[in-house]
Amino acid sequence: MATETRGEAAAKDEGKGKPSRKRTSPLLFVRQVIAELRKVIWPTRRELITYTTVSLVFVLIMVGIVSGLDWALLKGVYWLFG
């Protein structure tokens, strides 16, 4: 049969099914979140200002490009269809 598998693929399929998962308590969840947040490398104030400035400049450039294309297409449609 075409759907049968052999070797490692068959061994992987044997473990399929619904895994039994235990729910985490809210307290354990909060502890895990705090532990993960301690691993984060937070940016310095200078880095944060630099990232924010770069993001705002990029957004302004994209707004300019999209606005320019919109204006050019508007003029082209008015010229074409009068």
Side-chain angles (χ1 to χ4, degrees):
M1 185 178 244
T3 59
E4 291 180 330
T5 55
R6 295 187 186 143
E8 292 180 18
K12 288 180 186 177
D13 290 341
E14 289 175 2
K16 287 190 177 177
K18 205 165 199 177
S20 60
R21 293 186 182 188
K22 186 178 176 186
R23 290 194 66 155
T24 325
S25 70
L27 184 61
L28 178 60
F29 175 75
V30 170
R31 285 182 187 163
Q32 289 175 343
V33 168
I34 291 170
E36 288 299 319
L37 285 175
R38 286 187 180 147
K39 295 178 187 177
V40 174
I41 299 173
W42 297 97
T44 63
R45 180 177 291 278
R46 182 178 222 177
E47 290 172 336
L48 188 62
I49 291 171
T50 301
Y51 297 154
T52 304
T53 304
V54 167
S55 299
L56 290 175
V57 168
F58 175 76
V59 167
L60 289 174
I61 289 172
M62 293 307 296
V63 165
I65 290 172
V66 170
S67 297
L69 286 173
D70 183 46
W71 179 82
L73 290 172
L74 176 73
K75 291 296 181 182
V77 168
Y78 278 155
W79 174 80
L80 189 62
F81 296 110

